[in-house]
Amino acid sequence: MKLKKLAFAGLLVLVCGTAFAEHGHGCGKGKFDPANWQAQRLEHFEQHQEKLHTILQLSSTQENAWKNYQAQIKPQEKEHPDFAALSKLNTLQRLDKMEAWDKERDARQAERAKAIRTFYAQLNDAQKKAFDENAFPQHPHHDGGHAEKPVRE
């Protein structure tokens, strides 16, 4: 009898363990497709921009500023490092490569910030408030969790 209970408990642990070990269980993970991630990223960006455009209710005189803004902030394809080539470099050469990538990223970010500031200046106060609330949405997983964390005293 004791052996049957032990076998049943072992089976229960095995079944429960495999259920929780399933890749991406319950988090929407496991859907990443490396072959299409750039296209999915661009599609998500365009959907968000359409929604923002609707929310802002731009006047006809602001539409040109919107088009310029969109052209300047549209995500570009990211070039990934050639890890095989990097592995052939010494440490100082790799550091030089990483610093060059950082400078390129910083330059792109500065251009993007300038475009945002230029567009933002074209908005009225109500539109600025709507832009502030909707331009850069906060996702629950970006703030460290999906639920409110209890305050400890």
Side-chain angles (χ1 to χ4, degrees):
M1 184 72 170
K2 200 172 195 180
L3 184 61
K4 284 184 181 179
K5 286 183 180 180
L6 188 59
F8 179 73
L11 182 63
L12 186 61
V13 168
L14 182 65
V15 169
C16 291
T18 57
F20 285 110
E22 179 184 326
H23 182 66
H25 179 72
C27 297
K29 293 181 182 176
K31 297 178 184 176
F32 179 72
D33 180 6
N36 296 323
W37 81 273
Q38 297 261 7
Q40 291 171 344
R41 182 173 158 251
L42 184 59
E43 181 182 339
H44 177 74
F45 169 82
E46 289 172 351
Q47 289 172 351
H48 177 71
Q49 293 306 306
E50 287 175 19
K51 180 180 173 187
L52 181 61
H53 185 263
T54 302
I55 291 169
L56 290 176
Q57 299 177 351
L58 300 172
S59 68
S60 58
T61 58
Q62 294 171 317
E63 283 297 327
N64 197 33
W66 172 260
K67 289 176 186 173
N68 290 334
Y69 166 69
Q70 289 300 295
Q72 292 172 331
I73 67 158
K74 188 173 184 177
Q76 300 171 353
E77 287 205 19
K78 292 183 178 180
E79 191 173 311
H80 293 283
D82 180 0
F83 291 106
L86 277 177
S87 67
K88 295 175 184 173
L89 302 176
N90 68 38
T91 299
L92 296 180
Q93 291 168 328
R94 284 192 296 254
L95 283 173
D96 290 342
K97 286 276 191 190
M98 288 187 281
E99 287 175 346
W101 290 327
D102 287 345
K103 286 178 184 175
E104 289 174 19
R105 184 196 61 233
D106 291 346
R108 285 191 309 269
Q109 184 62 27
E111 289 173 12
R112 184 177 170 91
K114 182 179 177 185
I116 293 168
R117 285 186 174 94
T118 301
F119 176 68
Y120 193 82
Q122 303 297 314
L123 302 176
N124 64 38
D125 290 340
Q127 290 169 325
K128 286 179 182 178
K129 185 176 188 311
F131 189 88
D132 292 343
E133 293 170 356
N134 297 284
F136 305 102
Q138 296 298 312
H139 299 285
H141 63 276
H142 288 177
D143 65 5
H146 291 277
E148 288 289 322
K149 293 181 180 176
V151 177
R152 294 187 181 183
E153 295 179 22

